[in-house]
Amino acid sequence: IALLTSIMQITRNLTTEGLRMNRKVSKAIFPVAGLGTRFLPATKSVPKEIMTLVDRPLIQYAIDEARAAGIEDFIFVTARGKSALEDYFDVSPDLEAALESSGKNDLLEILRSTNMESGAVAYMRQHKALGLGHAVLCARKLIGDEPFAVILPDDVIAAEKPCLQQMVEAYQETGGAMVATMEVSPAKASSYGVLDIRSQNGPIVSVKGMVEKPPLGTAPSNLAVIGRYILTPQVLANFDQVGRGAGGEIQLTDAIAAEVTAGRDVFGYRFEGQRYDCGSKAGFLQATVAFALARPDLRDEFAAFLTEMHSVKQAAQ
Ligand code: UTP
């Protein structure tokens, strides 16, 4: 009996280890090929992802979050006019040498912390902005047969434990496909993908359907999909059956919803943290204020300025 018990234990351990291996998430896709029309005219020449919150471009926050979650391969789906983004990931030997020789070691350290290892970054082109789903599909050849993450850099999430790391940890237990989710007001639900909820267990939501941009008043819940995903190659295969969806675009939500239809698991993950929609002007400005106030070197001066602005505005009313 003792022998049988230890064989069963070993089998269980091997199965758990096998699942862990299958659920290792080491690749992330960053779709950055959108037109960014809400930021025109700036986005005529500056990619939205290069716009800065205080002194770091949006894309840097996304990279840092991916690294914290154990991502090793970074796949950018880019487009015409995004070369500033590709340049950003090159090392800058001249700048590094100048900072070194002038003894600006703190700046040198900041600069070096943004360097990417050779071979860790790949670029795929999306020739036409046909939608987020299409952008993700453009990276299909680089994904192979393992789960992968998708990060939308214009959703910036301030959190003690980075959002993708929270999800990767939860994913070890759940498998399936997973999307980040948060509550939004009924009025805003029609701007998002929305979850149809089967059941909830703490932060994990079992999903029985998903709708992209439901018309006002028809959303199946108040849980919206936010720009962090852990997906399987099967989701990419679903695009063979998925046509154009909401807004005439090829929607990622529809390919994930096809998983539910096929009887496979899809989960929402209610992350802890504050999300800023930096794809919109109001969200970008809110993030700028929040991130500036969180910086010890700026906090006091900036808070005093905001207080003064507030008093001036109140006096004028
Ligand atoms: P958005 O819906 O914010 O669209 O895309 P957008 O084009 O960037 O911005 P607006 O709405 O015109 O202002 C969400 C994410 O999907 C990417 C975007 O780059 C962004 O990261 N995306 C969208 C693509 O990569 N390709 C597409 O065809 C559409």
Side-chain angles (χ1 to χ4, degrees), residues 31-38 48-49 126 129-132 135 152-154:
V32 290
L35 300 174
T37 53
R38 282 169 289 170
K48 178 168 65 173
E49 302 74 19
Q126 185 190 28
L130 295 176
L132 172 61
L152 307 192
D154 43 8

Side-chain angles (χ1 to χ4, degrees), residues 210-221:
M210 285 168 84
V211 198
E212 184 64 34
K213 299 191 176 60
L216 203 64
T218 66
S221 78

Side-chain angles (χ1 to χ4, degrees), residues 54-317:
V54 186
D55 51 12
R56 296 165 86 75
L58 294 184
I59 195 69
Q60 188 63 53
Y61 292 93
I63 294 286
D64 291 348
E65 186 179 328
R67 277 197 168 132
I71 298 298
E72 293 158 8
D73 297 313
F74 302 80
I75 303 165
F76 293 89
V77 180
T78 68
R80 223 177 130 76
K82 299 272 179 174
S83 50
L85 198 63
E86 297 179 18
D87 291 346
Y88 179 77
F89 292 115
D90 273 342
V91 287
S92 25
D94 294 348
L95 192 52
E96 285 190 21
L99 292 174
E100 201 159 13
S101 66
S102 55
K104 294 184 175 158
N105 293 330
D106 44 348
L107 290 179
L108 187 62
E109 209 175 299
I110 291 172
L111 186 64
R112 284 193 174 145
S113 72
T114 65
N115 286 350
M116 305 291 283
E117 307 77 45
S118 288
V121 185
Y123 300 100
M124 280 304 223
R125 298 297 256 201
Q126 185 190 28
H127 288 138
K128 206 166 176 206
L130 295 176
L132 172 61
H134 181 258
V136 171
L137 187 59
C138 288
R140 188 176 187 171
K141 286 207 176 109
L142 298 179
I143 287 301
D145 192 25
E146 52 189 281
F148 59 95
V150 176
I151 298 187
L152 307 192
D154 43 8
D155 270 336
V156 175
I157 301 172
E160 213 162 288
K161 183 185 277 189
C163 178
L164 188 64
Q165 189 182 348
Q166 296 175 39
M167 289 173 70
V168 163
E169 287 174 10
Y171 184 72
Q172 300 314 307
E173 308 303 322
T174 63
M178 183 178 275
V179 301
T181 184
M182 68 175 228
E183 282 180 21
V184 296
S185 67
K188 291 210 166 146
S190 49
S191 312
Y192 291 89
V194 180
L195 303 183
D196 195 355
I197 302 166
R198 178 178 291 129
S199 61
Q200 301 201 46
N201 179 11
I204 296 170
V205 180
S206 172
V207 171
K208 64 173 180 192
M210 285 168 84
V211 198
E212 184 64 34
K213 299 191 176 60
L216 203 64
T218 66
S221 78
N222 62 350
L223 285 186
V225 178
I226 301 304
R228 304 287 183 276
Y229 307 77
I230 299 176
L231 304 175
T232 57
Q234 180 59 48
V235 173
L236 301 180
N238 293 347
F239 280 110
D240 296 342
Q241 269 84 50
V242 167
R244 290 188 187 227
E249 295 192 339
I250 299 175
Q251 298 286 358
L252 185 56
T253 303
D254 295 342
I256 303 171
E259 286 293 276
V260 183
T261 314
R264 287 184 286 270
D265 286 338
V266 175
F267 299 98
Y269 186 81
R270 298 172 71 132
F271 57 93
E272 281 184 22
Q274 176 67 44
R275 173 259 186 177
Y276 298 94
D277 175 10
C278 290
S280 77
K281 286 188 261 269
F284 186 81
L285 291 170
Q286 286 157 15
T288 302
V289 172
F291 279 70
L293 289 176
R295 283 273 294 257
D297 56 332
L298 295 169
R299 187 184 298 141
D300 294 345
E301 192 182 342
F302 194 54
F305 169 74
L306 290 179
T307 311
E308 194 187 317
M309 290 287 283
H310 186 60
S311 328
V312 170
K313 194 177 160 215
Q314 276 194 326
Q317 277 169 353

